[in-house]
Amino acid sequence: MASQTRIKVAKLDSPKMHGLDRDTLIRLYRTMYLSRKLDDREIQLKRQNKIYFQISSAGHEAVTAAAGLLLRPGVDWIYPYYRDRALCLMLGVTPLETLLQAVGAKDDPSSGGRQMPSHWGHPEWNIVSRSSCTGTQFVQAVGAAEATLYYQERSKALAKAKKAPLGKYVGYEDNEIVYVSSGDGATSEGEFWESLNTACIKKLPMFYLIEDNGYAISVPVEVQTAGSSISKLVGSFPGLHIAECDGTDPLESYAVCREAIQYCRDRRGPALVHAQVTRPYSHSLSDDEKLYKSAEEREREAHRDPLSKFSLVLVREGLLDQKQIEDLEAQVDNEVREVADQALAAAEPSIDSIKVNVYSPDVDPTSSAFEAEPQYHGAPKTMVEMVAATLSDEMLRDERITVFGEDVADASREENLKSVKGKGGVFKATAGLQRKFGADRVFNSPLAEASIVGRAIGMATRGLKPVAEIQFFDYIWPAMMQIRDELCVMRWRSNGAFKCPAVIRVAIGGYLTGGAVYHSQSGESIFTHCPGLRVVMPSTALDVAGLLRTAIRCDDPVMFLEHKHLYRQPYNRSEYPGPDYTVPFGKARVVAEGSDVSIITYGALVHRAEVAAAQLGREGVSVEIIDLRSLSPYDWEAIASTARKNHRVIVAYEDMLSWGYGAEIAARIADELFEELDAPVRRVAAMDTFCAYQPNLEDVILPQTSHLINAVKQLLEY
Ligand SMILES: Cc1ncc(C[n+]2csc(CCOP(=O)(O)OP(=O)(O)O)c2C)c(N)n1
Ligand SMILES: [Mg+2]
């Protein structure tokens, strides 16, 4: 056990120790050593097949422990990466908690046993749940830092966020900052650069720590980073404080990080510290660095080991003698042994808990609470006008709402607003909102889709309600990883500790001749395939009002698909249904009742089905039309009941014929309602091809009314 006897301490050389007192210096060493021993213990457990994976923080302990010392636990917002064990320990994560994560225990605070070890997350310490994706954290940290500036100015938003579900973890304090870290390799990801761009444009209080161990698995830095130095490469970002340090030296790291963090706390802008560290234990236990690192290189690294170097400093400076170091280490060894035993005895999550926290346990957007009667007033509005009107009323009601994306503002140069009408979106869906609510609530983003979604995630995690816009569905793909691996999964992977109920509005579908392949795409099935995400697609202005409001008031992330072809049609307009009109998710709308054939559809095909039904009606055929309007969840009851009623079913959709959304609905009908059908379920969809620029090449991205009529007639002849 540690000896409590004080030794004759030589006078502490304070400038050399950067003002740190003896206790703090010992705490630094203890945390570094504890981090290493927890890694060692995990490695042992992995070799005994008691855990399934190990990735260590070895070689990174000095700079991360030093940074942890400078951050304010539970005040600053932390977006760490997997080599930040020492930082997390310094902030308050307990050794037991880190090992509960390693064994995948039910009570692991980071994920309840759902994620791999070292995927840090702890709501009490504002350590935001991390995924396995390298680089996604950067743009989310931007969103979190934007929340800092937002709450600083808008206390009503903060008060409201605190009252919302999980509001106990919402907070804001003066001078708080956002920490985000990664290795050298992850700085090659676009999101790193996207984040720096916005951080510098908005002077965000973000502290970037780049822990450069010279390798990304087996790829050395000179192949990863032009010129081999990330700090040199980012040198021209305006207002970015940049510093380098030997990340294996906790004292130098402390001094350099302290200055960088102070820069952020003083609201002078973002700061980046580039720390040179080592990686003595290979990338992970699945890697053997001897396959690509020379013996000389490894030997050189061994000489820079932060633990042995710092223990020598402590002895040399007379802070601890050799015996005291041994005592401290023995005490830590004991503690690690004890907590490992506890972790190994900890309960695992039960199998039936797997579906818990896919969606919010607090707000059910499918419930009757979202059923409302419209209180109509005003002149009829088009769908696109209804988007703007609904956003406007919701923004009035809830100061947490921010609206951003490409071109969504009226005019970023606010002085121009006196003399110009304003843009308000390429389709005008956000027209007038900046003018009404201010440029801090409605603003343009750089042209960077991953960061639009990532920033929304960061803001939503901190209790704001971002309504972000992706200008065209065709360009959503840079944001795919943010949507699939982050937005959808945040609540589940953190076992309910974190959430990001953002609304992502997306203009979708074929709408004009000449739109060609990059202004016409569908692909809703790609997103209904993602658990955790709600996907809705209204076909009328009334449903836009009801579903968009539900999307904003719900506690899950929502993809709100707005069909471009429907934006300005006269046939789907509606008077404004009032500021509290909502439509529950997962409830289809019976567009027309009929007794011969049922058409199950949504989006732009609803109206075409109506036109087809009118024509067929004149020929004595009665068609029922169901508008799903909500694609995930969807209304199976409505589908089953119309199939049972008419026994002949068409599923009509714009998405690709094969693997499209309707294909899955048709498959389920065939599976579960086979006995009910008098004829095989038919799909009517766009062809499995692209919409081309020249109409004579291909103008059938939307199935035509004639296709629907033919399909109905074929079914009746069956
Ligand atoms: C987006 C993404 N691509 C690839 C991977 C697989 N991967 C995990 S860690 C890693 C290397 C990261 O290197 P670096 O950023 O230098 O961090 P280090 O592990 O060296 O600390 C790779 C390629 C991943 N997890 N995520
Ligand atoms: Mg690396």
Side-chain angles (χ1 to χ4, degrees), residues 18 63 184 207-213 221 225 227-235 240-249 251-260 271-277 304:
H18 303 290
V63 68
D184 43 296
F207 169 47
Y208 289 77
L209 179 61
I210 306 303
E211 302 168 32
D212 183 351
N213 55 26
V221 67
T225 307
S228 301
S229 167
I230 193 63
S231 45
K232 288 208 174 66
L233 217 50
V234 299
L240 178 66
H241 171 97
I242 303 167
E244 266 190 278
C245 69
D246 175 356
T248 64
D249 176 345
L251 297 175
E252 182 182 325
S253 298
Y254 179 81
V256 169
C257 290
R258 183 173 57 185
E259 205 183 333
L272 182 144
V273 168
H274 178 195
Q276 306 290 347
V277 294
R304 294 181 57 221

Side-chain angles (χ1 to χ4, degrees), residues 472-537:
F472 287 90
F473 183 87
D474 315 62
Y475 312 127
I476 201 168
W477 312 117
M480 190 66 196
M481 189 155 73
Q482 286 291 340
I483 296 171
R484 176 64 185 91
D485 286 349
E486 303 287 341
L487 182 74
C488 300
V489 190
M490 179 71 87
R491 187 191 292 275
W492 184 86
R493 76 171 186 232
S494 65
N495 202 19
F498 293 96
K499 61 173 181 175
C500 48
V503 179
I504 313 293
R505 296 180 38 251
V506 191
I508 191 171
Y511 75 123
L512 46 77
T513 303
V517 57
Y518 300 115
H519 296 84
S520 312
Q521 287 176 25
S522 300
E524 49 274 22
S525 59
I526 293 166
F527 296 100
T528 53
H529 191 271
C530 304
L533 185 67
R534 312 282 192 181
V535 183
V536 293
M537 189 161 175

Side-chain angles (χ1 to χ4, degrees), residues 60 81 83 183-185 211-217 279:
H60 291 232
Y81 93 116
R83 297 208 202 276
D184 43 296
E211 302 168 32
D212 183 351
N213 55 26
Y215 277 88
I217 308 186
R279 196 199 66 183

